[in-house]
């Protein structure tokens, strides 16, 4: 039988708190975010999960969430692989901007298209922008042509899927229990793929911070069951808080 899969979005980051587009900017967790990570670890412990391997991105908010969850779970020895393909969606020229102010300037409808449409990316970051990932040492060994200047969710899925097929899926098929700690959109891309969610439906799906989602899969890694751990109403409220961010409500 294949192992179990858990998806965990990082806890609240400083720019989540400030309601800013974050993308590939390496923003740290807030104190609330660290508490969310520890709470996630407690939920995983209550479920009795024993992990064989964990995967995360190259961004510290996801890495630290993983550390804190594994520490709370008392499994700090679990093998961890970090990879850029699990990074958050690149928000292009929007990165660093306040979501509500951007909505006021460009219109809520336009920002909703940039933020939530499946295949329309935001305006790209300039190639000579010092924040472009090609100037970041952690991506120095990569071909600059694979590094995004902006991404839609569709492009994020194209980036994430090779890592799923090459690194994550084989471990699940080998019967291992896998934890993936990443970001709202890299996980949303995986959820779309796993659950077969239509393009016009995934735009309304929100991934709450710090609440583990457990998947039970068959031999072909088709989904048998998925659920958020802990209180279902709390997960629903947390997902709604994510949805409200672009409107300046959270």
């Amino acid at each position: 039988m294949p192992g179990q899969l858990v998806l965990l979005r990082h806890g609240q980051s400083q720019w989540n708190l400030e309601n800013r587009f974050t993308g590939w900017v390496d923003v740290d967790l807030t104190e609330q975010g660290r508490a969310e990570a520890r709470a996630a670890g407690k939920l995983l412990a209550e479920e009795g999960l024993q992990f064989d391997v964990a995967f995360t991105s190259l961004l510290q908010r996801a890495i630290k969430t993983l550390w804190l969850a594994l520490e709370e779970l008392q499994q700090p020895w679990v093998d961890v692989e970090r990879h850029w393909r699990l990074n958050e969606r690149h928000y292009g020229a929007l990165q660093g901007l306040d979501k509500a102010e951007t909505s006021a300037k460009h219109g809520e409808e336009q920002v909703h298209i940039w933020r939530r449409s499946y295949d329309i990316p935001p305006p790209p970051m300039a190639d000579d922008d010092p924040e472009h990932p090609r100037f970041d040492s952690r991506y120095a060994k990569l071909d600059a042509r694979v590094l995004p200047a902006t991404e839609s969710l569709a492009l994020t899925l194209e980036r994430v899927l090779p890592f799923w097929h090459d690194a994550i899926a084989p471990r699940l098929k080998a019967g291992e229990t896998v934890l993936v700690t990443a970001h709202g959109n890299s996980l949303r891309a995986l959820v779309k793929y796993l659950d077969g969610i239509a393009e016009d439906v995934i735009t309304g799906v929100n991934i709450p911070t710090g609440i583990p989602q457990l998947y039970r899969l068959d031999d072909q890694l088709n989904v048998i069951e998925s659920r958020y751990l802990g209180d279902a109403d709390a997960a629903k409220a947390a997902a709604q808080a994510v949805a409200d961010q672009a409107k300046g409500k959270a």
Side-chain angles (χ1 to χ4, degrees):
M1 289 293 293
Q4 296 183 94
L5 171 67
V6 173
L7 304 182
L8 173 62
R9 183 181 178 184
H10 64 79
Q12 183 193 65
S13 74
Q14 185 60 39
W15 281 13
N16 290 147
L17 177 63
E18 296 174 13
N19 205 26
R20 297 164 72 183
F21 290 100
T22 309
W24 282 36
V25 181
D26 200 11
V27 176
D28 203 353
L29 296 173
T30 62
E31 187 54 47
Q32 178 180 322
R34 289 187 281 274
E36 288 174 348
R38 295 186 187 98
K42 290 180 180 178
L43 290 173
L44 295 170
E46 289 169 3
E47 192 69 23
L49 289 163
Q50 185 78 38
F51 291 101
D52 297 291
V53 64
F55 298 95
T56 190
S57 73
L58 295 185
L59 301 172
Q60 63 174 318
R61 57 192 184 274
I63 294 169
K64 290 184 178 180
T65 295
L66 177 60
W67 287 347
L68 291 167
L70 289 177
E71 180 180 294
E72 193 68 40
L73 190 56
Q74 298 185 14
Q75 295 178 33
W77 44 264
V78 169
D79 183 34
V80 175
E81 182 175 344
R82 303 171 185 84
H83 205 281
W84 68 275
R85 287 190 178 273
L86 292 177
N87 280 11
E88 175 60 297
R89 169 190 174 188
H90 197 294
Y91 272 104
L94 299 185
Q95 290 191 165
L97 300 182
D98 178 275
K99 293 176 182 177
E101 291 177 359
T102 305
S103 293
K105 180 178 180 180
H106 296 283
E108 188 174 313
E109 183 178 353
Q110 178 62 69
V111 173
H112 183 76
I113 290 171
W114 286 335
R115 184 171 181 255
R116 285 298 173 153
S117 66
Y118 181 67
D119 56 4
I120 301 175
M125 176 178 285
D127 287 342
D128 60 353
D129 190 313
E131 296 299 321
H132 195 289
R134 68 194 186 95
F135 298 116
D136 191 316
S137 60
R138 79 193 85 184
Y139 312 115
K141 294 182 180 180
L142 296 174
D143 186 331
R145 291 173 294 183
V146 306
L147 296 173
T150 186
E151 287 178 311
S152 62
L153 182 59
L155 291 172
T156 305
L157 179 58
E158 287 182 15
R159 164 164 58 84
V160 171
L161 271 185
F163 190 71
W164 166 264
H165 290 303
D166 295 343
I168 302 174
R171 305 296 289 263
L172 289 165
K173 288 181 177 179
E176 298 185 3
T177 300
V178 175
L179 173 60
V180 178
T181 302
H183 306 265
N185 285 289
S186 52
L187 292 179
R188 205 154 59 98
L190 269 181
V191 166
K192 181 191 185 304
Y193 173 75
L194 289 169
D195 291 328
I197 299 174
E199 295 176 8
D200 61 341
V201 176
I202 193 62
T203 57
V205 173
N206 296 284
I207 308 294
T209 57
I211 302 179
Q213 185 175 12
L214 175 63
Y215 277 85
R216 197 159 58 90
L217 308 166
D218 67 15
D219 290 342
Q220 300 304 311
L221 303 188
N222 298 307
V223 176
I224 298 172
E225 176 190 17
S226 70
R227 60 185 171 88
Y228 283 105
L229 301 186
D231 183 75
D233 289 339
K236 184 177 180 180
Q240 185 59 49
V242 174
D244 288 341
Q245 285 179 346
K247 301 177 183 178
K249 295 181 182 177

